[in-house]
Amino acid sequence: MKNLLIFFLILSFLSINILICYCKEITAVSQLTNQKPQAQKLKKLADDLMVTVSKIRGLNFKTQITKKVTNQKEVRSIMFKELQNPETMGKLDGEGKMLIKLGLLPKNFDYRKFLVDLYVEQIAGFYVPENKTMYIADWMSMELQPSVLVHELTHALQDQYFDLTKVLKPDYNRSDLNMARTSVVEGEATMVMLEYMIKDYGFNIYELPNFSMVQFQDMMPYSSEEAKLLATAPPVISDTMTFPYLYGTDFIMSFVKTYGWKQVAEIYSAMPVSSEQIMHPEKYISNNKDLPVNVELNNIENALGPAWKKINTDVLGEYVYYILLRELSGKSTATIASSGWGGDQIQCFQNGSSTMIIMMSLWDTDKDGKEFFDAYSQVVANKYSREHVEDKGSNYYLWSTEDKYVYAGIKGKKVIVIEGVPEETIYKLLKTCSFWK
């Protein structure tokens, strides 16, 4: 089942809210060919597969699709043009610095360049809702083309019925929301692709006991031959990149098992709003949906002073909290301590070469909050090389580190973390946020 390694996209929890509207796919391509398929042959294959996609999905195409066979040089040109947008460039830079401060990327990691290189390496065709065009990769073998085309044709079908430009309109301050929406779109397209791939084998994928794309990926790590940069990517990039295709597929499978394909259209009128709902479909499918609580950090700039410039605001969500804890405190701790997530906001500021973060998280219960609070003390111990507990109580820690001070405090279901400022600034921020040690 090697062809199931369709791990696409430059879009991580961070970059996902930058290029999300283009539905660009990347795949682990192991069967390249020196002899390019003829353009007309590729377009005819796409036309023939439209019938198959319609049958699987239960929806007819309303109009024909514009198809353009493209090469890697043209794709690179398109991508670089997108990234010239100042808002896009600034967002990626801010996200990269925030991830470095969180301890999820190495210091001086060139986040934006790595994402661009990774995207170029892995791309295998894409559909653009803005111009209703499907771009077909001319460098892929005919053996790989059908599966990728089915996936992309599903995006075109989605666009005709649900308008992907609206569904995937990015919220630059809520990456978790963006990832949830993308997971529906990519999960549906991957599910259609899977049905296409097994259609001649005589079994029903919905009848396979405990089939899970997430578990499947756990058994098949990235191959350096198939995806060199993906294999070497920091987990926060590789895991959030593949989240919409793995967790999204499991989410759609769970929904289809419960309601059938026909009801999938209802998801688009009430989209999931968090990675939590995608990871735990029952939190979306049930009548009592587990909706995230909006968390806002206000007046932080005033407490910091004019020397500090805000470079990023975001919502991390359960999945990124899981990655953070997994990488810096261990998988078993991460599984427990991230599962009670209820909402969060993180803000990142820069002052010359210094970077600071402040994040407030809200948990489902006091017990959930305490589990995260305790786990974060392990994060600090593993992130810094010279951390020292300067003060602590039952509901707070204050550390000195090689990069100024770190504070973690808990008040009921709320947990606040401040990193990268002098001790006196921490107290100003605690007063601003109505926290105190």
Side-chain angles (χ1 to χ4, degrees), residues 75-137:
V75 168
R76 181 185 287 269
S77 176
I78 293 172
M79 183 178 59
F80 277 116
K81 183 178 179 180
E82 294 167 13
L83 291 175
Q84 294 308 307
N85 181 294
E87 186 175 19
T88 298
M89 295 174 68
K91 181 66 178 179
L92 286 176
D93 287 339
E95 289 169 346
K97 290 171 182 174
M98 180 189 74
L99 286 179
I100 291 171
K101 188 61 183 175
L102 282 170
L104 291 173
L105 293 178
K107 290 183 179 179
N108 302 316
F109 186 84
D110 194 335
Y111 177 65
R112 178 153 52 101
K113 181 180 183 301
F114 186 90
L115 290 178
V116 171
D117 292 343
L118 178 59
Y119 178 77
V120 172
E121 175 193 73
Q122 298 296 308
I123 193 167
F126 52 94
Y127 173 77
V128 178
E130 281 73 12
N131 62 9
K132 313 300 180 187
T133 299
M134 187 169 76
Y135 293 83
I136 305 172

Side-chain angles (χ1 to χ4, degrees), residues 60 100 168 205 218 315 330 333 336 360:
N60 293 321
I100 291 171
L168 297 178
I205 195 170
D218 288 341
V315 175
T333 298
I336 295 170
M360 180 90 75

Side-chain angles (χ1 to χ4, degrees), residues 56-57 151 154-155 158 162 167 179-195 205-206 211-214 243-272 275 277-282 284-285:
I56 293 173
R57 187 55 188 82
H151 190 103
T154 304
H155 285 325
Q158 293 167 331
F162 309 118
V167 170
M179 187 157 66
R181 292 171 174 171
T182 306
S183 295
V184 172
V185 174
E186 300 300 348
E188 180 184 352
T190 305
M191 198 68 245
V192 172
M193 182 193 73
L194 288 175
E195 286 206 32
I205 195 170
Y206 301 101
F211 176 85
S212 166
M213 286 289 285
V214 174
F243 180 95
Y245 308 91
L246 303 179
Y247 285 90
T249 300
D250 286 355
F251 173 85
I252 292 294
M253 180 178 289
S254 178
F255 189 93
V256 172
K257 280 183 177 179
T258 304
Y259 299 109
W261 269 116
K262 188 175 183 180
Q263 301 305 314
V264 169
E266 296 181 3
I267 300 177
Y268 287 88
S269 60
M271 292 286 278
S275 59
Q277 289 184 321
I278 299 297
M279 297 169 71
H280 313 284
E282 69 279 4
Y284 173 83
I285 293 174

Side-chain angles (χ1 to χ4, degrees), residues 193-248:
M193 182 193 73
L194 288 175
E195 286 206 32
Y196 165 77
M197 292 172 67
I198 67 167
K199 64 183 176 62
D200 296 326
Y201 290 92
F203 64 90
N204 187 335
I205 195 170
Y206 301 101
E207 295 175 356
L208 294 177
N210 302 318
F211 176 85
S212 166
M213 286 289 285
V214 174
Q215 293 178 11
F216 177 82
Q217 167 59 9
D218 288 341
M219 294 184 291
M220 291 191 68
Y222 309 123
S223 163
S224 59
E225 288 303 314
E226 294 172 332
K228 292 180 180 179
L229 281 178
L230 189 60
T232 61
V236 72
I237 293 178
S238 59
D239 289 3
T240 53
M241 178 184 294
T242 58
F243 180 95
Y245 308 91
L246 303 179
Y247 285 90

Side-chain angles (χ1 to χ4, degrees), residues 32-62:
L32 299 180
T33 177
N34 292 325
Q35 185 176 357
K36 295 182 179 181
Q38 294 180 354
Q40 287 305 117
K41 188 174 182 180
L42 289 173
K43 291 180 180 180
K44 184 179 186 306
L45 175 61
D47 287 337
D48 293 342
L49 287 171
M50 288 176 68
V51 177
T52 302
V53 170
S54 291
K55 184 176 180 181
I56 293 173
R57 187 55 188 82
L59 295 172
N60 293 321
F61 283 90
K62 297 179 179 180

Side-chain angles (χ1 to χ4, degrees), residues 22 65 96-97 99 148 188 210 227 234 237 254 303 332 390 406 433-435:
Y22 287 92
I65 303 166
K97 290 171 182 174
L99 286 179
V148 175
E188 180 184 352
N210 302 318
I237 293 178
S254 178
S332 58
E390 297 289 343
V406 175
C433 299
S434 300
F435 258 78

